[in-house]
Amino acid sequence: MKGFRYLQNATTLELNESACIGCGRCLEVCPHQVFTLADKRARLADRDACMECGACQRNCPTAAIRVDAGVGCASGIINEWLKDHNIRLGGSGCC
């Protein structure tokens, strides 16, 4: 999704850079280009773009990535759809 955003500073995504071996699998599986590779280690390039799908965690061979997968994905997709269709909700903006 172009310009996808979940909720600012709300993702549970954590990256233990010292455990990273620089394989690049997180870059390959992330649908929103959350990760980048620098100095042979993964880095968080756009943490707020994370939709908490869990693909990075499931594919990391060293368990350097942790994320509470499941909730953010659905919420993010619903909120993006609502935004694309100019539907405004009251309150916190959550679905």
Side-chain angles (χ1 to χ4, degrees):
M1 283 183 241
K2 184 179 178 184
F4 177 86
R5 282 287 174 272
Y6 173 42
L7 297 172
Q8 191 170 2
N9 297 318
T11 184
T12 60
L13 177 65
E14 296 175 11
L15 171 63
N16 179 349
E17 292 180 14
S18 64
C20 176
I21 59 172
C23 69
R25 288 187 186 152
C26 53
L27 280 80
E28 294 171 5
V29 300
C30 179
H32 294 288
Q33 296 80 43
V34 170
F35 300 92
T36 188
L37 212 54
D39 300 322
K40 299 182 181 180
R41 299 262 195 256
R43 303 278 193 261
L44 294 175
D46 191 359
R47 188 172 184 268
D48 287 336
C50 178
M51 66 178 191
E52 297 179 318
C53 68
C56 55
Q57 177 176 284
R58 284 190 304 278
N59 287 278
C60 181
T62 63
I65 301 169
R66 193 193 75 70
V67 64
D68 292 333
V71 178
C73 181
S75 176
I77 290 169
I78 291 167
N79 283 326
E80 188 69 14
W81 185 89
L82 291 170
K83 186 176 94 178
D84 286 349
H85 290 84
N86 295 318
I87 298 171
R88 306 270 185 237
L89 299 176
S92 67
C94 183
C95 61

